[in-house]
Amino acid sequence: MKNRVLTVGSLIPGRLIVKPPAPLQTESKKVKTEGVIVEQNGKRMEIQPVKGKLLDAALNQGKPIQYKCRKGTCGQCTVKVLKGPGISAPNEQEKKKLKNEITNGYRLACQAEIL
Ligand code: FES
C-alpha cells in the first residue's frame, strides 16, 4: 500500500481526497454453478450452463443427446429436464411438437435455450 505524505497544502479543505479502505477479503467467494440435469432414454446427463441452445451445450460437453433435424420437427432430441435453472420458456415449435408433455418437463434440446 502506498503511504500518503501529507503536506500543508494537502490540508486545505477540499484538496485532500481520502478513499475509504477496501473491504477485507477474508474468504474468497465461491461461484456455485448450477448444472442442467436432463434425462433421455433413461440416461441422466448433467450439462454445465453455457448460454445458447441446450443441445449445443450438451454436445460440446460430450453428452450424447440423440438428435436429428435441429429444427424442432423430428422430436429426436426430446429430453426431460429434471433440473434446469435458467432455461428459456418453451417456444412455439416445442409447444406444437410436445403438446402436453411440456407440462411434465419435456423439452426439445435443439430448441430450449440456456439463458
Ligand atoms: S433435433 Fe429434431 S426436434 Fe430437435
Side-chain angles (χ1 to χ4, degrees):
M1 184 172 179
K2 187 177 175 184
N3 288 333
R4 290 181 168 236
V5 177
L6 297 177
T7 62
V8 174
S10 66
L11 297 176
I12 296 172
R15 290 195 60 187
L16 180 63
I17 300 170
V18 179
K19 292 181 182 176
L24 292 176
Q25 294 183 346
T26 54
E27 61 184 71
S28 62
K29 289 183 179 178
K30 291 182 180 174
V31 178
K32 189 177 178 184
T33 56
E34 294 278 327
V36 177
I37 299 175
V38 299
E39 187 177 271
Q40 187 184 49
N41 301 326
K43 194 172 187 179
R44 266 181 204 214
M45 294 167 262
E46 182 168 358
I47 301 160
Q48 293 307 308
V50 177
K51 198 173 180 178
K53 299 285 185 192
L54 179 60
L55 179 62
D56 293 334
L59 295 176
N60 287 337
Q61 294 171 32
K63 311 297 181 190
I65 290 184
Q66 293 179 9
Y67 67 98
K68 194 173 180 184
C69 70
R70 287 182 171 252
K71 296 176 189 170
T73 55
C74 72
Q76 283 281 308
C77 66
T78 302
V79 294
K80 183 169 188 172
V81 177
L82 303 174
K83 187 177 143 199
I87 292 188
S88 65
N91 66 16
E92 290 304 315
Q93 201 65 36
E94 290 180 277
K95 289 176 186 172
K96 185 177 171 185
K97 187 69 186 172
L98 298 172
K99 297 184 172 76
N100 294 337
E101 293 303 314
I102 287 177
T103 57
N104 295 328
Y106 287 93
R107 301 292 303 270
L108 295 177
C110 71
Q111 300 298 306
E113 291 202 42
I114 299 172
L115 304 174

